[in-house]
Amino acid sequence: MNSSRQDRPVPPPPAPGTYIDWGPALPESYGLTGITALVRDPERFFVFWEGGTGIRARDLAGGPPREQAVGRIGSWYFEGTPEHEYEVDLLLDGRVVSVSNRIRLPRRAPATAVDEEWIPTPDQLELLRRLAGSLELLMREEIEAINSEVLRRRAGGGTWPSSSGRR
């Protein structure tokens, strides 16, 4: 899951006669020591760093820390537990040289609390019901059209329609 700068795609060359100013190349390093953590989803988070030889993810709700030997610059995905908080230490020869921001992974299920300010009015509910009914009708018509084409082709000994042949 580790990524490096060399793995990134290089932009295609411009067409003949076209000038594109890509600006100066990004430096390999900014000469700063630091680590940043970002939430990806309820069960994973992403970290990127510069200036270390290892990283250690700590679940602040308990659980054993997880260490990973890494290169001086890079990124990594960690698995986590929903609704737990994490910090990641950047290590240099076993010493902590930087600590990431604290992140909290979201819960896996949708929220159950309803904010009174966001409850639809009766008029809004009616509009939502009509829109849902229109969507159901459109989907039913699309399914009937596809089924009808499938039956015509099967009856005529033809092939199944491809997904790209849909209207």
Side-chain angles (χ1 to χ4, degrees):
M1 288 190 192
N2 200 354
S3 64
S4 69
R5 220 175 143 75
Q6 291 78 20
D7 296 339
R8 295 188 183 141
V10 176
T18 303
Y19 174 75
I20 298 176
D21 183 1
W22 295 101
L26 292 175
E28 177 64 30
S29 168
Y30 289 97
L32 304 172
T33 298
I35 186 165
T36 301
L38 302 168
V39 173
R40 185 190 126 175
D41 59 47
E43 297 174 347
R44 279 167 217 73
F45 58 98
F46 174 77
V47 295
F48 63 93
W49 66 88
E50 179 177 341
T53 56
I55 51 177
R56 177 176 49 221
R58 294 181 287 114
D59 182 344
L60 302 180
R66 290 171 285 163
E67 283 195 32
Q68 181 67 42
V70 296
R72 194 173 62 78
I73 299 170
S75 60
W76 194 266
Y77 285 93
F78 280 101
E79 291 193 10
T81 304
E83 300 185 66
H84 282 220
E85 290 186 340
Y86 292 89
E87 284 182 347
V88 184
D89 300 326
L90 180 62
L91 308 171
L92 181 61
D93 301 326
R95 284 184 357 264
V96 175
V97 292
S98 184
V99 178
S100 76
N101 51 306
R102 182 177 291 194
I103 58 168
R104 180 178 176 84
L105 297 183
R107 69 174 151 258
R108 197 178 284 120
T112 55
V114 177
D115 187 342
E116 297 288 326
E117 183 180 343
W118 296 98
I119 294 176
T121 65
D123 290 341
Q124 292 170 330
L125 278 174
E126 178 56 33
L127 178 61
L128 289 171
R129 281 191 196 99
R130 284 190 304 195
L131 288 172
S134 298
L135 180 61
E136 240 177 72
L137 178 62
L138 285 171
M139 289 178 66
R140 196 174 322 122
E141 288 173 355
E142 179 73 14
I143 290 169
E144 287 172 7
I146 290 169
N147 287 340
S148 160
E149 176 143 344
V150 167
L151 290 174
R152 269 198 314 275
R153 288 184 181 214
R154 288 178 86 191
T159 60
W160 290 86
S162 68
S163 60
S164 62
R166 286 189 193 168
R167 287 181 273 144

